[in-house]
Amino acid sequence: MLLATVLGFLGPALLTLLAFRIIPTAVAVFESLQTRTGFGLDNYIDVATSPTFLNSVGVTLLYSLIINPAQIVIALALALLLDQAVPGRTLGRIGVFLPVAAPLAVASLVWGIAMRPSDGALNAILAFASIPPQPWLTSTSQSLLSIMIIVTWAGVGYWTVFLIAGLREIPRELYEAATIDGAGWWRCLYSVTLPMLRRTILFVLVANTVGNFLVFAPVQILTRGGPQGSTNLFIHEIYQMGFAFADMPAASAGVVLLLACMLLCVALQFRLLRGQ
């Protein structure tokens, strides 16, 4: 009876996990090993030695090394600000979270219009500050940064909510004790807030890293991986192999490599941020 009850509650979640995670992963591994002569590692070798794919790996690593810490720092700063008992705090929280409600594809279209070099709103704003117009998405040096701005605007509010929840769980007595001992705001942040937020920050960092590895809509809609491959992220290159070039075994090999890369990054993050 107990087993039937447990399966009744967990059954839908387990079936969903099986249908949308485990089976597709197994199919991807199987397809990645298929070659013209049978089974082997030829697809992995071809993918790993492809200049286009290697470029996408480099672009993705650069993207991840910049955007993940940047989003965590921005989300933490917003959470600390919006956790204060100040007028307009509720409106501030709504304003920060509001971009999350818009689909990333829609946000990409809006930002793409705003980033037009000739008549975009961003360059119009810069003109008021006597700053020359910027190429944004049309420049090899600014296109990846532009994608980061779009993704950060659309997603940082989501992580801010988690950090605010973590801040609300910290006992106020700890701050009172630290203040009595003469600790200032920065000392409280370093000695009380960050240690007590360790688990929340770890969750946000891991989930954010995985999410950023899978960012696809802004690249596909705005740049198609260009200019000159400067925004050709890992997931977009896999899409190109599978659907533009109809090479599903190679795309499956890319998916397996992407999964291995994500697992490695998550394992390193757990290692670096694990508690005592």
Side-chain angles (χ1 to χ4, degrees):
M1 184 65 180
L2 178 60
L3 179 60
T5 303
V6 171
L7 290 177
F9 280 105
L10 295 181
L14 293 176
L15 288 175
T16 302
L17 180 65
L18 182 66
F20 295 102
R21 290 291 185 267
I22 297 177
I23 291 178
T25 301
V27 171
V29 173
F30 177 77
E31 286 190 348
S32 69
L33 296 174
Q34 289 184 328
T35 66
R36 295 181 180 87
T37 58
F39 289 91
L41 299 177
D42 293 355
N43 293 314
Y44 290 94
I45 296 173
D46 292 341
V47 167
T49 55
S50 168
T52 305
F53 187 82
L54 293 176
N55 174 72
S56 72
V57 173
V59 171
T60 303
L61 289 177
L62 176 62
Y63 172 84
S64 299
L65 288 174
I66 296 175
I67 196 171
N68 291 329
Q71 287 187 343
I72 298 300
V73 170
I74 294 172
L76 180 60
L78 290 172
L80 291 171
L81 177 63
L82 296 174
D83 188 52
Q84 303 299 315
V86 295
R89 179 176 64 176
T90 302
L91 287 177
R93 290 179 177 179
I94 294 174
V96 168
F97 187 75
L98 198 58
V100 180
L104 187 54
V106 175
S108 300
L109 290 172
V110 173
W111 275 94
I113 295 172
M115 288 180 171
R116 286 176 178 172
S118 57
D119 57 351
L122 288 184
N123 280 338
I125 295 173
L126 294 179
F128 281 105
S130 300
I131 300 175
Q134 302 299 312
W136 300 113
L137 293 164
T138 61
S139 166
T140 56
S141 60
Q142 295 185 8
S143 55
L144 188 61
L145 176 61
S146 301
I147 296 294
M148 293 181 192
I149 292 173
I150 297 170
V151 174
T152 300
W153 179 86
V156 75
Y158 183 73
W159 309 119
T160 302
V161 171
F162 285 97
L163 293 173
I164 290 175
L167 288 172
R168 303 303 294 175
E169 293 296 320
I170 300 176
R172 299 296 105 180
E173 294 82 1
L174 296 179
Y175 293 105
E176 294 172 1
T179 302
I180 292 173
D181 290 339
W185 189 88
W186 285 106
R187 185 64 182 178
C188 287
L189 175 66
Y190 179 76
S191 300
V192 179
T193 304
L194 293 181
M196 296 299 294
L197 272 180
R198 177 185 292 270
R199 291 184 180 275
T200 306
I201 292 175
L202 176 59
F203 166 77
V204 170
L205 180 59
V206 170
N208 188 41
T209 299
V210 173
N212 283 325
F213 265 116
L214 302 178
V215 168
F216 175 76
V219 176
Q220 176 65 12
I221 292 172
L222 299 175
T223 65
R224 301 294 180 92
Q228 299 180 20
S230 58
T231 61
N232 190 29
L233 297 177
F234 210 144
I235 191 68
H236 184 264
E237 176 62 20
I238 293 173
Y239 167 82
Q240 289 288 104
M241 288 189 295
F243 296 96
F245 303 115
D247 191 351
M248 291 307 298
S252 298
V255 168
V256 175
L257 292 175
L258 174 60
L259 178 61
C261 186
M262 287 194 296
L263 290 175
L264 177 61
C265 289
V266 169
L268 288 175
Q269 290 169 353
F270 271 108
R271 176 72 176 178
L272 293 173
L273 292 177
R274 69 180 182 179
Q276 296 297 326

